[in-house]
Amino acid sequence: MEAAPDTAPPRWQRVLKRIASLILHQWLLIGMGIVCALAYCFPNVAKNGGTIRSEYSIMYGVIAIIFLISGLSIPRQKLISHALNWRLHLIVQVISFLFIPAVVLAIVHIILAADPREKIDRAVLAGYIFTACIPTTIASNVVMTRSAGGDDAAALVEVLLANILGPFVTAAWTISLIPKMAVFDPWRFGGGNLGSMYKEVFQQLGLSVLLPLFIGQLVRWTWPDRTALVLQKTKLPKLATFCLLLLIWATFSSCFATGALQTLSAQSIVFMVLFNIILYITLTAVCFFCSRPPRILSSRRWSKPIFKRMSPEETIAVCFCGPAKSTALGIPLLYAMWQPVDLFLKAKTSIPVLLYTTEQICVAHFFVQLFRWWHSRIVDKEDLDDSTRDDVEIAMAEDTRGDHAGRVHEHTTV
């Protein structure tokens, strides 16, 4: 009897298939590396005021695409219910506008006490205080929440609320927290005219967020079945993830174009890179704890309204919205707040904003995988519990029927 021919593909094909699978799974991370390299080599293309006028084409056009897709994807009832979810608002906005500034301010004062030789540039420290006070980012947390299986409607509501509050809260809060030291005088007394900034910020919020969202909701409400079919066939939500690469490209192009990043000391750069990662991971853990506190806290009658556990989907939204910060609002606000300050000093002050908002996307990419696994595990466990509960109820019903039949038989015999 002849042996069956070996149909296994050659080794080189298996290796290529494995490499292709790795690229497909990590394409966003690889894309980040590519756009950062392009931004470094050709910073004038996508910088603010550059060849493609990214302040309009990307900050308006790309963000509008993201929120148009959100409007097409999210049911109107979910948006309304989350708009009334006071606990969701409280956790996200308190962490964003109170907890993060308190943590960053404490770290800044520790550095000031431990670094009298100013190895860490003071513009970097002022930039971190400003970064801590700006609201959550407009686009990336909605995209990441959706990718991780979270409630993107909850993320969207928090984005809108934070970016409406941000222009009014950030400026006054930042100036209040700047250390009362002579080295920080340019930031404490360099106030600019905020009127034009308010106009620019709310114009962008209206045209790139609210209008596309309204149009998407209108289309979904008018043709619900057809809209759902188009979204399913075209995989349109994946386009929103690709749009993040364009945002990163524009952010880094503006950073490299000023030349401010290259002038900072090695200690300042290493500090920022490591601090951003540690801060983002720590804040994500705090958001998770606030959303899903230990059962011992949520099981008591007096503490249940305060420490009630959120659903896994809402928890994911909080974990992506709470630690994030916005470049789209942060950079215009920074340049408007300190308009009389030297341009080069403003560029150095903006670096913490640029680096943190870029690194948060890189770290969030890994959290997407982690939360997706956690979410599927929770859902599987809930399904198993429901199945077990149904089996128990069926068994109890059968036992009840058996006891009833036995009693009837006994009564008939008697």
Side-chain angles (χ1 to χ4, degrees), residues 2 38 74-75 101 133-134 147 156 198 213 226 236 241 249 267 269 284 298 321 332 367 386 392 408:
E2 295 183 3
L38 290 174
I74 299 173
C133 297
I134 59 179
S147 299
L156 182 55
Y198 285 131
L213 180 64
R226 192 175 301 175
L236 198 58
T241 308
W249 180 37
Q267 292 92 334
I269 295 175
T284 303
S298 57
C321 290
F367 275 118
D386 291 342
V392 171
V408 170

Side-chain angles (χ1 to χ4, degrees), residues 93-170:
Q93 306 308 328
V94 166
I95 287 175
S96 183
F97 288 119
L98 293 178
F99 182 78
I100 297 177
V103 170
V104 170
L105 184 63
I107 293 171
V108 166
H109 279 286
I110 291 172
I111 293 172
L112 290 173
D115 182 32
R117 296 184 180 181
E118 299 189 10
K119 291 183 179 180
I120 305 298
D121 198 298
R122 288 341 185 208
V124 168
L125 299 182
Y128 267 116
I129 293 174
F130 173 79
T131 303
C133 297
I134 59 179
T136 187
T137 185
I138 292 178
S140 63
N141 44 18
V142 177
V143 176
M144 295 293 184
T145 299
R146 184 187 301 123
S147 299
D151 194 334
D152 51 348
L156 182 55
V157 168
E158 295 312 305
V159 164
L160 295 176
L161 179 60
N163 283 271
I164 290 172
L165 293 175
F168 303 103
V169 174
T170 301

